[in-house]
Amino acid sequence: MQAFIAALNTNCQNQNRDDEPMTRPRAMNEFCKRRPPTFNGDTNPTVAETWLKEVKVILDTLGINLDGDRVALATYQLKGEARYWWDLMEATHAIAAMIFAEFETLFLDKYFPTPLRLAKEQEFMNLKQGTMTVTQYAAKFKELSHYAPDAVATEDKKARRFEWGLTTARRAVVAQAFTTYTGVVKCALWLESEEADFKTRWKKATGGTGGPIRTQPPHNNRGPYFTKPSNPPQSNQPWRTAIPKSGEPKRGGRGIATVQCFHCQAMGHYKCDCPQLQREKDGSFENQKA
């Protein structure tokens, strides 16, 4: 019984201690146990924003609500260039009376200025799936959506914005008229899975080519797949060449004066142009008429 009473008293003391406001040393001790991230002045605005969010989560989880404690613990994690910047802020601002929202404004103006935040907002408004998978698109959508809170203020607005940027079966998703963002994402994921499965089965059915199945072309030279050979077949007989007309130089650069007639043996013309042969033909024709 005495042990039970002692344990009860201990629990009551611990409860009273928890109800007491957290002192600065205790808050520091509990804060450091969570291994909060440090920030060294990285020029990447996303890194700065992520650091601030993670520190706020730890402060909120521990129930550290006093602005002075929140500012002190957050700035304790500033290192390097960021520490030099905060030292300058301490010299020009009333740090003791500063609320945490003011610290957030100063920090973001330095490491995530308004022009960059507006650029992120525009990036979200122009976001489309493109070549990303639905999962990748949804992750990017979630990452950028908080820069344009008005565009995703309601579930319906969020769903319509996600549909607008879809590439995968967009018409089929829109036709379902989902009223929630989760419903749109699930539908898009299912359709993407079905499309991938269909492509896999079709590729197997077509032998890995992805196109229509083709039979072997006929093995003859007159079928629809016959193509004319690039080089004509060679034969043992020489090809006949055209005989140049009278008055034209012979092939090989020879002039007409060097040509000898095969009929009258005279020089300067071919047999087809031989005057003697022509007279003989004319005489023979006259004799036949007589």
Side-chain angles (χ1 to χ4, degrees):
M1 179 62 72
Q2 292 179 348
F4 173 75
I5 294 175
L8 183 61
N9 289 333
T10 301
N11 290 335
C12 290
Q13 292 175 0
N14 291 336
Q15 183 66 35
N16 292 333
R17 187 180 303 170
D18 292 338
D19 293 339
E20 295 175 357
M22 188 178 294
T23 61
R24 178 72 60 84
R26 182 186 170 196
M28 174 66 76
N29 184 50
E30 294 297 324
F31 181 73
C32 291
K33 284 181 181 180
R34 270 58 179 187
R35 297 182 180 181
T38 59
F39 181 72
N40 60 3
D42 197 306
T43 56
N44 186 338
T46 305
V47 174
E49 185 183 41
T50 300
W51 173 82
L52 183 59
K53 286 182 177 180
E54 292 180 4
V55 168
K56 287 175 64 177
V57 167
I58 296 175
L59 294 174
D60 292 340
T61 301
L62 293 175
I64 302 174
N65 299 320
L66 294 177
D67 284 309
D69 292 345
R70 290 170 72 89
V71 172
L73 294 175
T75 56
Y76 180 75
Q77 297 304 109
L78 298 178
K79 309 296 180 183
E81 190 277 334
R83 169 51 59 181
Y84 294 132
W85 165 76
W86 183 244
D87 290 343
L88 180 61
M89 293 299 101
E90 286 183 323
T92 56
H93 292 76
I95 303 301
M98 180 178 290
I99 62 175
F100 192 73
E102 184 180 353
F103 164 73
E104 287 187 86
T105 300
L106 289 173
F107 180 82
L108 292 176
D109 285 345
K110 171 63 177 178
Y111 294 106
F112 203 165
T114 300
L116 293 182
R117 292 200 294 271
L118 291 176
K120 286 290 186 179
E121 179 182 353
Q122 191 61 44
E123 182 181 354
F124 173 72
M125 299 304 292
N126 295 332
L127 180 64
K128 291 188 177 182
Q129 180 184 353
T131 57
M132 293 185 288
T133 64
V134 173
T135 301
Q136 292 170 335
Y137 172 53
K140 193 68 174 177
F141 185 92
K142 182 179 180 181
E143 174 190 338
L144 297 175
S145 61
H146 70 277
Y147 295 113
D150 292 340
V152 292
T154 65
E155 275 292 306
D156 186 67
K157 282 187 175 182
K158 194 173 183 180
R160 300 293 80 77
R161 173 57 58 177
F162 188 83
E163 284 178 349
W164 178 83
L166 270 176
T167 299
T168 303
R170 180 176 179 272
R171 291 185 178 180
V173 175
V174 172
Q176 300 301 316
F178 288 102
T179 58
T180 63
Y181 168 75
T182 302
V184 172
V185 174
K186 286 183 177 180
C187 181
L189 286 170
W190 182 82
L191 290 172
E192 182 182 54
S193 177
E194 286 294 303
E195 182 179 351
D197 182 60
F198 173 78
K199 287 181 178 180
T200 300
R201 288 185 282 109
W202 177 255
K203 191 173 182 179
K204 290 181 179 179
T206 56
T209 62
I213 302 175
R214 294 185 180 273
T215 57
Q216 292 294 329
H219 297 284
N220 59 68
N221 291 338
R222 298 187 181 277
Y225 296 94
F226 171 72
T227 55
K228 186 177 180 181
S230 57
N231 297 318
Q234 300 295 326
S235 66
N236 295 328
Q237 300 296 327
W239 293 95
R240 299 182 64 182
T241 58
I243 300 176
K245 294 182 179 180
S246 179
E248 294 180 350
K250 196 174 181 180
R251 290 186 180 181
R254 294 176 59 190
I256 194 65
T258 62
V259 176
Q260 184 179 16
C261 177
F262 291 161
H263 181 71
C264 67
Q265 306 302 316
M267 304 294 291
H269 63 266
Y270 294 100
K271 179 180 178 180
C272 61
D273 298 325
C274 179
Q276 180 179 340
L277 179 61
Q278 189 62 37
R279 288 194 298 270
E280 292 176 357
K281 288 183 178 180
D282 293 342
S284 174
F285 178 72
E286 291 294 336
N287 292 333
Q288 289 178 3
K289 286 181 65 177

